[in-house]
Amino acid sequence: MLTVSVKWQKQVFPGIEIDTSQPPIVFKSQLYTLTGVPPERQKIMVKGGILKDDADWSTLAVKDGQKLMMIGTADEIVKAPEKGPVFVEDLPEEEQAVALGHSAGLYNLGNTCYMNSTLQCLHSVPELKSALLSYSDTARGNGIDQASHSLTLATRNTFGELDQSVRPVAPLQFLQTLRKKYPQFAQQHNNVYMQQDAEECWTQLVYTLCQTLTSDASESAALSMKQLFGIDLVSRFSLQPPSVHCAESGEESTETESVYSLKCHISHDVNHLHEGLKHGLKTELEKVSPALGRTAIYTRESRINELPRYLTVQFVRFFWKRESNQKAKILRKVDYPLELDVYEFCSDELKQKLQAPRQMLRDAENAKFGLKTQGKASSSKENEGSSSAGDSSSMDIDKADPSVPKKQLTGVYDLVAVLTHKGRSADSGHYVGWVKQDDGKWIEFDDDNPNIRKEEDILKLSGGGDWHMAYICLYKARVAESKS
């Protein structure tokens, strides 16, 4: 690594690091974020002439501490690509073969691995790409600010570049619009952009997309974002259904909310994801008690009342350490499954709706192995006495064409992406995205360097040391199909 200063117009940018293992386009991308001068307009003077995008640093004799001069005009307007995004399935067969069955990597533009890993994991959701593809440059719903609109366009364009490129992509437009919409991602220390929290990036991006796609005058897009990631939480159902119970006064009240991830809380007795989810769905909070006339401690027990097509699980590994005044990390090993069944975390109402699809799923899987199926008799017996048990219309994924078999959620999910963190603090370390492909193989997206991995490698990301460990897991719903 070399450290140089760059003079541009009347400004001098000191302490800029050059990764000489990366092509100069990456260095130019760093300068773009500082100056707003697009790489194609930058003329950087080095020995022998002007720095080329693909030059070999070892031949340029750039020295540590050297001052470089850059000429170029900043462009304040972020321009969308002239061509719309092109997905892999739309490319000619010869280009698909060159793509090696997976999308391109993303250049690290200076501590942006948190952003790259988030993009690669969300890029694995084809339904999200379809919704973004229908989002036009001029579409802007009521109440949506320009920054949110630009970030949605940048997400669409970056996904398109990933799918049409066989070489690493420099996500310049996305990074600039992300920092404009959420200034915390533009924090600097000694003129160097700081590492940020991938979970915060994930959450903010999903929140923005839910706003913009919902307001895009497209009801289908609005519904799909809620169906894709939304989780409805409701009280723990019993004979008297409270969700918030005050241990002191005996008060009970019901509460509902929509979230976009489940939390896996980690403590000394949590060894598996299921245990962490139980902790996350049962919490204590302090609030004012009308009966007592003061604040009191409430126990809150939540249950899932509506499931998404893609279930996001966050491992709560970071906490604020007061004595050192910094974020610390829980390194404890917490195993997670390739197949996750959340049936036990569902409300009684949802469990009833899930029974018939779950039986269909079991029958279909048994049929693959030549085993006897339970069929309708079992489903009827399970649902006897409950008129709502067979009503799974709210869980139908595809209801448009009656001739097409309905796909119904079952509460069973398959792991399709993992975002990991390596290091002791959220303000440092390294983030990587691990994504399962359609053919079943896994790709480790370490910035601009995608690598094929085995399934057993994914299960080794559970923590317990200084190796990469799961921070966010993305699960895809396993569905049951019926013709009626």
Side-chain angles (χ1 to χ4, degrees):
M1 299 284 285
L2 296 175
T3 300
V4 300
S5 60
V6 176
K7 184 177 186 303
W8 173 66
Q9 296 180 353
K10 297 182 180 181
Q11 301 182 61
V12 177
F13 299 90
I16 301 177
E17 292 184 345
I18 299 178
D19 185 350
T20 55
S21 66
Q22 301 288 348
I25 182 64
V26 176
F27 175 57
K28 290 185 174 183
S29 299
Q30 292 176 254
L31 295 179
Y32 178 41
T33 62
L34 292 172
T35 65
V37 179
E40 64 271 16
R41 294 186 185 175
Q42 295 178 17
K43 293 183 180 179
I44 302 171
M45 307 306 171
V46 295
K47 185 177 181 180
I50 297 175
L51 180 64
K52 296 182 179 180
D53 293 350
D54 57 353
D56 185 352
W57 286 108
S58 62
T59 65
L60 300 178
V62 176
K63 298 180 181 180
D64 195 50
Q66 184 174 342
K67 178 183 286 187
L68 303 178
M69 178 176 290
M70 185 185 79
I71 301 173
T73 305
D75 186 357
E76 297 180 354
I77 302 175
V78 178
K79 295 183 178 179
E82 294 181 2
K83 295 182 179 180
V86 180
F87 292 92
V88 172
E89 56 265 31
D90 298 325
L91 296 173
E93 292 184 2
E94 63 270 19
E95 292 188 40
Q96 293 187 37
V98 175
L100 298 177
H102 61 79
S103 59
L106 290 164
Y107 281 121
N108 191 316
L109 304 180
N111 286 332
T112 58
C113 58
Y114 71 93
M115 178 188 78
N116 290 349
S117 54
T118 295
L119 285 171
Q120 291 289 10
C121 289
L122 292 176
H123 176 254
S124 69
V125 181
E127 297 92 335
L128 177 57
K129 290 196 289 186
S130 296
L132 285 166
L133 190 61
S134 65
Y135 191 83
S136 67
D137 292 15
T138 57
R140 183 174 168 187
N142 295 329
I144 299 302
D145 59 280
Q146 181 61 43
S148 297
H149 174 64
S150 298
L151 184 56
T152 304
L153 290 178
T155 307
R156 182 202 69 184
N157 296 336
T158 302
F159 282 7
E161 289 184 80
L162 286 174
D163 279 333
Q164 68 183 354
S165 176
V166 295
R167 295 183 179 182
V169 172
L172 303 175
Q173 180 194 17
F174 182 89
L175 179 60
Q176 186 180 38
T177 54
L178 176 69
R179 287 172 172 167
K180 185 174 182 180
K181 171 64 179 175
Y182 299 107
Q184 67 262 38
F185 298 116
Q187 291 177 324
Q188 297 184 45
H189 180 69
N190 294 330
N191 292 319
V192 176
Y193 285 105
M194 298 171 58
Q195 178 69 283
Q196 299 293 333
D197 190 332
E199 188 274 331
E200 292 181 8
C201 180
W202 182 302
T203 300
Q204 299 285 35
L205 179 56
V206 169
Y207 174 75
T208 300
L209 294 178
C210 287
Q211 280 190 312
T212 54
L213 295 180
T214 297
S215 301
D216 190 20
S218 172
E219 186 177 355
S220 60
L223 292 174
S224 79
M225 285 308 297
K226 178 67 167 63
Q227 292 173 345
L228 279 181
F229 302 108
I231 308 165
D232 283 353
L233 295 180
V234 71
S235 62
R236 177 178 56 87
F237 282 82
S238 61
L239 293 177
Q240 298 175 350
S243 68
V244 181
H245 173 70
C246 177
E248 295 181 89
S249 69
E251 291 177 36
E252 293 179 351
S253 61
T254 301
E255 189 176 284
T256 61
E257 65 173 327
S258 294
V259 297
Y260 285 87
S261 68
L262 294 180
K263 307 296 183 184
C264 174
H265 286 256
I266 303 174
S267 61
H268 67 278
D269 57 346
V270 171
N271 299 302
H272 194 275
L273 175 61
H274 272 84
E275 297 167 336
L277 290 176
K278 286 182 180 178
H279 281 264
L281 291 172
K282 185 175 182 179
T283 58
E284 289 187 348
L285 67 155
E286 185 176 346
K287 57 182 292 186
V288 175
S289 167
L292 298 175
R294 59 174 174 81
T295 59
I297 301 298
Y298 287 77
T299 299
R300 177 177 180 176
E301 297 183 45
S302 301
R303 288 293 180 266
I304 302 171
N305 203 44
E306 188 171 333
L307 289 166
R309 303 184 199 182
Y310 290 85
L311 182 67
T312 304
V313 177
Q314 181 216 344
F315 292 79
V316 185
R317 288 196 173 274
F318 296 108
F319 66 98
W320 189 257
K321 203 170 184 178
R322 292 183 179 178
E323 52 268 30
S324 59
N325 199 35
Q326 64 181 7
K327 272 188 178 179
K329 183 178 179 181
I330 302 173
L331 302 177
R332 182 179 181 83
K333 180 180 180 181
V334 179
D335 291 322
Y336 55 88
L338 296 173
E339 175 188 314
L340 176 65
D341 190 346
V342 296
Y343 182 81
E344 66 174 291
F345 305 123
C346 297
S347 65
D348 290 342
E349 178 184 354
L350 181 54
K351 284 180 178 179
Q352 289 180 335
K353 293 179 180 180
L354 290 173
Q355 285 177 0
R358 288 169 70 85
Q359 184 59 54
M360 287 189 290
L361 180 63
R362 287 191 291 266
D363 289 347
E365 293 178 346
N366 288 339
K368 291 180 181 179
F369 298 99
L371 301 176
K372 185 178 180 181
T373 61
Q374 297 293 326
K376 294 182 179 179
S378 175
S379 296
S380 298
K381 186 174 181 180
E382 281 185 346
N383 300 333
E384 186 176 355
S386 175
S387 60
S388 63
D391 179 15
S392 54
S393 59
S394 63
M395 305 182 332
D396 291 344
I397 289 181
D398 186 357
K399 300 181 289 184
D401 188 347
S403 65
V404 177
K406 293 180 181 179
K407 297 179 180 180
Q408 300 179 44
L409 298 177
T410 62
V412 180
Y413 289 81
D414 295 300
L415 186 67
V416 292
V418 182
L419 190 154
T420 60
H421 179 265
K422 181 181 180 182
R424 297 271 173 167
S425 170
D427 299 325
S428 60
H430 186 55
Y431 291 99
V432 169
W434 312 67
V435 179
K436 188 177 183 180
Q437 308 301 295
D438 291 337
D439 59 4
K441 69 181 178 184
W442 283 84
I443 303 296
E444 173 195 5
F445 286 101
D446 187 352
D447 287 330
D448 61 317
N449 186 30
N451 296 293
I452 298 176
R453 296 300 183 195
K454 298 179 181 178
E455 194 171 77
E456 51 262 36
D457 296 329
I458 306 306
L459 294 176
K460 295 177 182 177
L461 304 172
S462 54
D466 288 333
W467 181 237
H468 288 281
M469 60 188 71
Y471 186 29
I472 300 176
C473 283
L474 185 65
Y475 286 89
K476 181 179 181 179
R478 192 182 298 180
V479 299
E481 295 188 3
S482 66
K483 295 183 179 179
S484 58

